[in-house]
Amino acid sequence: MTDRPKVGAGYIAMLMLGGCGAFMAYITVLAFSLAVRVDALAPGRPEYLGYLAGLGGVVSLISGPVVGVISDRVRTRFGRRRPVLVTGAVVGTAALAVIGLAPNLGVLAVGWVLTVLGWSAAMSSITALQADKLPGNQRGTVAGFTGFAQQGAPVLGVVVAGLLAHHGVLLTLVPGLIGLVLLLPLVLFAAETDTRSAVFDDPLSMRTIARKYRYNPRRYPDFSWQWLGKFCFYGGLALATTFQTFFLAHRLELEVVEVAHTVAWISLTGVTATTFGSIGAGYLSDRLGRRRVFILVAAIVYACGATTYAFAPNLAVFMVAACLCNFGIGAFAAVDQAITLDLLPDLREAGRFMAIAGLAHTVSRSTAPLIAPLVLAVGGGDNFTVLYLIAGSLVLLGGFVIRFRVKGVR
């Protein structure tokens, strides 16, 4: 809604810090720490990482709409989003300790499921806050800044995890604790409207929640095409990033635990590109009143980066590929977020519809890692070249779907 008052720089800064904290706690585990723990408990079996990542995606798929519906209906003096945010962050941090202390793959899986439940709830609450607060002419810009913070989070997280790679539970727990600290300003100072007097047409029950899972794509065609494009983009991204640690170890002939510093340097190289992609595309999409063209450009740039990754012979080329991919991710994430907010069917149920939009991310994240072992097995095993080429193709497809099928935004 353009008639909403603009949010100030302080609120944007709190969103950035909160998003950075939540993403660092969660993505660090997925990008590095989980691979280290899998390698320690099941050496030489990288496919188990794919299975765990897929399990996490399934859990997020089931829990996402539930959390969204509940957060829409929370009635407290502190508002409806922050209680869910705090609960999720606390559960997620405790689960990181379980991952770090897990004596076997079964306990590791339990810790990972709880991590997904907790930190997914925290991240969805931050996104719902944006749907509640932002006017239409600030959505791209704010999404650019928060997207930049979220993309920078894994860099900080992997650097910290790399320093603690041989220190057991600290490897997983410390990034989570840093994430909690970064969330504090948003929790303490981002005031929400008192919702204790809120009235709803139907009581919250399992039947109500189950009914909220129903969604008719034909009723909201633009929102549905946007969902499909997002699914393709993040499916390609999941194929590439889930196995990045093993990919680098394979190409550079290193032990998995030794890759942390390489991942950190590659990620750090991409920070500038992410900044330009996220903040630049988000701001320009607000300024020009156009969003879809930036999505297509982002997809093309990422596909070029994934192709470069596929054939990269050394670290220098990896860094070039990282710059291209990070620019594409930053630009897509910012503008995609703005488009999603623009197309929300009902702002009164922002949590529900943001959760449905988020399923595009979680479904792709759950299915892509399960398919990846089959791709890696092509030609005798560890075929990362084919994996990255398919990843780039999926991303490109997502860009074309949004550019040419979504009509509700320019």
Side-chain angles (χ1 to χ4, degrees):
M1 298 290 291
T2 55
D3 58 345
R4 290 177 176 177
K6 285 190 173 184
V7 299
Y11 191 82
I12 296 173
M14 288 188 289
L15 286 173
M16 290 178 66
L17 287 174
C20 179
F23 268 72
M24 182 176 67
Y26 176 70
I27 300 298
T28 300
V29 181
L30 184 60
F32 176 68
S33 305
L34 197 61
V36 172
R37 296 295 293 134
V38 167
D39 189 61
L41 296 174
R45 301 298 299 271
E47 67 271 18
Y48 286 152
L49 176 63
Y51 301 146
L52 285 173
L55 174 63
V58 171
V59 170
S60 187
L61 168 66
I62 296 171
S63 66
V66 175
V67 173
V69 171
I70 290 174
S71 72
D72 284 338
R73 290 166 172 263
V74 169
R75 290 185 286 192
T76 72
R77 64 184 293 264
F78 304 105
R80 56 180 180 168
R81 309 300 182 193
R82 286 187 295 170
V84 178
L85 172 60
V86 171
T87 302
V90 171
V91 170
T93 302
L96 293 175
V98 175
I99 291 177
L101 295 170
N104 53 59
L105 287 174
V107 177
L108 185 67
V110 171
W112 175 236
V113 166
L114 292 174
T115 298
V116 171
L117 286 172
W119 286 111
S120 291
M123 290 186 290
S124 66
S125 298
I126 295 172
T127 304
L129 279 172
Q130 296 179 53
D132 293 341
K133 292 280 189 178
L134 298 181
N137 58 2
Q138 264 192 310
R139 289 169 181 166
T141 302
V142 174
F145 279 108
T146 56
F148 161 67
Q150 291 166 4
Q151 294 303 321
V155 179
L156 176 59
V158 171
V159 169
V160 172
L163 296 173
L164 300 170
H166 298 283
H167 291 79
V169 69
L170 296 180
L171 165 68
T172 56
L173 187 57
V174 170
L177 293 175
I178 296 174
L180 277 181
V181 172
L182 294 177
L183 280 169
L184 283 178
L186 189 62
V187 171
L188 296 176
F189 305 116
E192 286 188 80
T193 303
D194 188 327
T195 57
R196 286 176 292 182
S197 61
V199 178
F200 303 99
D201 294 334
D202 48 358
L204 182 63
S205 64
M206 291 304 298
R207 183 177 181 180
T208 301
I209 292 174
R211 192 164 61 247
K212 296 298 183 180
Y213 271 83
R214 291 185 301 187
Y215 173 76
N216 184 356
R218 293 182 178 179
R219 187 176 180 185
Y220 312 112
D222 281 333
F223 190 78
S224 302
W225 282 116
Q226 170 72 7
W227 192 99
L228 181 60
K230 190 198 306 275
F231 172 82
C232 293
F233 187 97
Y234 284 113
L237 185 59
L239 280 178
T241 57
T242 301
F243 288 86
Q244 185 185 48
T245 298
F246 286 110
F247 168 59
L248 293 173
H250 178 267
R251 283 288 174 90
L252 299 176
E253 299 181 350
L254 298 172
E255 296 295 326
V256 171
V257 75
E258 297 173 347
V259 177
H261 295 296
T262 303
V263 173
W265 275 110
I266 289 175
S267 300
L268 190 61
T269 301
V271 166
T272 302
T274 302
T275 303
F276 279 106
S278 183
I279 297 177
Y283 172 77
L284 287 174
S285 73
D286 279 345
R287 186 79 173 177
L288 301 176
R290 293 181 174 273
R291 306 214 192 271
R292 292 180 296 159
V293 65
F294 291 99
I295 289 290
L296 182 58
V297 170
I300 291 172
V301 172
Y302 185 94
C304 291
T307 303
T308 305
Y309 258 125
F311 298 103
N314 53 52
L315 184 58
V317 181
F318 286 148
M319 289 185 174
V320 172
C323 285
L324 293 171
C325 287
N326 277 275
F327 181 93
I329 293 169
F332 182 92
V335 182
D336 168 76
Q337 177 84 337
I339 292 176
T340 301
L341 293 174
D342 289 342
L343 296 176
L344 282 180
D346 189 346
L347 288 175
R348 294 171 300 177
E349 293 190 312
R352 175 201 173 197
F353 282 107
M354 290 304 294
I356 291 173
L359 290 181
H361 195 177
T362 55
V363 171
S364 62
R365 195 170 64 235
S366 65
T367 54
L370 295 175
I371 297 170
L374 301 177
V375 178
L376 289 172
V378 173
D382 292 338
N383 198 333
F384 290 103
T385 299
V386 173
L387 184 72
Y388 273 81
L389 290 176
I390 292 176
S393 299
L394 274 175
V395 165
L396 193 58
L397 177 61
F400 274 97
V401 167
I402 294 173
R403 171 61 183 86
F404 295 106
R405 300 300 303 180
V406 175
K407 306 298 184 182
V409 295
R410 294 181 67 190

